[in-house]
């Protein structure tokens, strides 16, 4: 029985190709920290001043449909001397919509002035996004392998049949995307530039064997 299978494999005319699929992993979330500061003589005065801005920020986030579990805050009091102290309210917000993120930041900067500082956004690719990109890269690698095998088959005047063996040679994250040029007249990078810097490439490699019909007599297997 084994001899028959070996004979069939020897008669099978095949082509083996390496396929590579590369897909960018674009972050789908970003984290931003808002810090509200108020310097007064007493904690009560500082709290009264800071809480107005804090409530405005929470209302803005609520109107922008940001879920409560995406917002975290804490307070800290720093005393400078007998006459003054600073109360700081730190609010960390996780955005899943970059247009909402930009709108909220612009409104906070416009309405709450220098009393509120806004951190540089930290862009994140969720596990779901990474898994989706990994599958897309693997399918693209197989498609590229099929395209390459089809070119070889046509060169030898053969018909390309379905693949009978696919070997996954692994996936890996490549280098970050090339940085975009900085916006004219701006020392700080824009959020779009930060997003681009946080984007990496997911690379998948597969080795695929296809069966050929009417293959040439010279060789039964071509490897690339």
């Amino acid at each position: 029985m084994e001899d028959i299978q070996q004979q069939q494999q020897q008669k099978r005319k095949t082509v083996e190709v390496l396929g590579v699929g590369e897909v960018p992993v674009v972050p789908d979330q970003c984290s931003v920290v808002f810090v509200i500061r108020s310097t007064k003589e007493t904690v009560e005065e500082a709290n009264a001043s800071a809480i107005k801005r804090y409530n405005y920020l929470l209302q803005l986030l609520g109107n922008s449909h940001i879920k409560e579990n995406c917002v975290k805050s804490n307070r800290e009091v720093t005393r400078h001397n007998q006459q003054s102290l600073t109360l700081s309210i730190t609010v960390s917000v996780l955005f899943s919509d970059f247009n909402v993120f930009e709108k909220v930041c612009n409104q906070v900067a416009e309405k709450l002035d220098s009393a509120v500082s806004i951190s540089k956004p930290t862009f994140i690719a969720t596990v779901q996004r990474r898994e989706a990109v990994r599958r897309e890269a693997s399918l693209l690698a197989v498609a590229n392998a099929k395209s390459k095998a089809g070119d070889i088959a046509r060169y030898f005047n053969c018909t390309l049949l379905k693949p009978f063996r696919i070997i996954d040679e692994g996936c890996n994250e490549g280098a970050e995307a090339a940085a975009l040029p900085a916006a004219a007249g701006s020392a700080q990078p824009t959020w779009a530039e930060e997003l681009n810097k946080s984007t990496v490439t997911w690379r998948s490699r597969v080795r695929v064997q296809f069966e050929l019909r009417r293959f040439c007599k010279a060789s039964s297997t071509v490897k690339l």
Side-chain angles (χ1 to χ4, degrees), residues 20-41:
V20 178
E22 294 185 346
V23 179
V25 186
V26 181
D28 53 343
Q29 290 184 339
C30 73
S31 176
V32 180
V33 178
F34 301 89
V35 181
I36 303 169
R37 293 185 178 89
S38 178
T39 301
K40 300 292 182 180
E41 293 183 359

Side-chain angles (χ1 to χ4, degrees), residues 86-104:
T86 297
L87 184 142
S88 301
I89 303 178
T90 302
V91 184
S92 301
V93 185
L94 185 64
F95 293 92
S96 298
D97 187 323
F98 295 161
N99 290 326
V100 171
F101 144 71
E102 184 177 26
K103 179 181 177 181
V104 168

Side-chain angles (χ1 to χ4, degrees), residues 58-99:
L58 291 185
Q59 182 180 9
L60 179 59
L61 294 173
N63 293 339
S64 301
H65 306 291
I66 304 299
K67 297 180 180 179
E68 291 185 3
N69 62 352
C70 294
V71 181
K72 297 180 180 180
S73 61
N74 61 72
R75 304 186 188 194
E76 180 180 353
V77 176
T78 304
R79 181 169 291 279
H80 306 295
N81 49 52
Q82 294 293 334
Q83 285 75 37
S84 67
L85 55 82
T86 297
L87 184 142
S88 301
I89 303 178
T90 302
V91 184
S92 301
V93 185
L94 185 64
F95 293 92
S96 298
D97 187 323
F98 295 161
N99 290 326

Side-chain angles (χ1 to χ4, degrees), residues 5 31 34 42 44 53 58-60 71 90 103 118 122 125 144 168 190 212:
Q5 290 179 346
S31 176
F34 301 89
T42 66
E44 291 75 13
R53 296 178 175 86
L58 291 185
Q59 182 180 9
L60 179 59
V71 181
T90 302
K103 179 181 177 181
I118 306 174
T122 299
N144 289 338
D168 187 351
T190 66
L212 300 175

Side-chain angles (χ1 to χ4, degrees), residues 111-173:
K111 298 294 184 180
L112 301 184
D113 56 56
S114 59
V116 179
S117 62
I118 306 174
S119 73
K120 182 173 65 175
T122 299
F123 290 96
I124 308 160
T126 60
V127 174
Q128 293 80 0
R129 170 59 60 87
R130 291 180 180 275
E131 280 297 311
V133 169
R134 183 190 64 80
R135 290 192 295 270
E136 184 180 351
S138 296
L139 292 175
L140 180 59
V142 173
N144 289 338
K146 182 179 180 180
S147 177
K148 185 186 296 185
D151 291 340
I152 295 173
R154 285 189 292 273
Y155 179 82
F156 288 103
N157 194 28
C158 297
T159 300
L160 186 71
L161 304 182
K162 294 182 179 181
F164 66 89
R165 188 182 184 192
I166 300 176
I167 302 173
D168 187 351
E169 296 197 340
C171 300
N172 67 286
E173 283 189 347

Side-chain angles (χ1 to χ4, degrees), residues 166-210:
I166 300 176
I167 302 173
D168 187 351
E169 296 197 340
C171 300
N172 67 286
E173 283 189 347
E176 296 180 351
L180 292 173
S186 176
Q188 295 294 329
T190 66
W191 72 263
E193 292 164 356
E194 292 290 349
L195 175 62
N196 186 73
K197 287 167 57 179
S198 302
T199 300
V200 297
T201 300
W202 189 270
R203 183 178 295 108
S204 176
R205 291 164 54 92
V206 295
R207 193 169 292 277
V208 188
Q209 290 183 341
F210 294 88

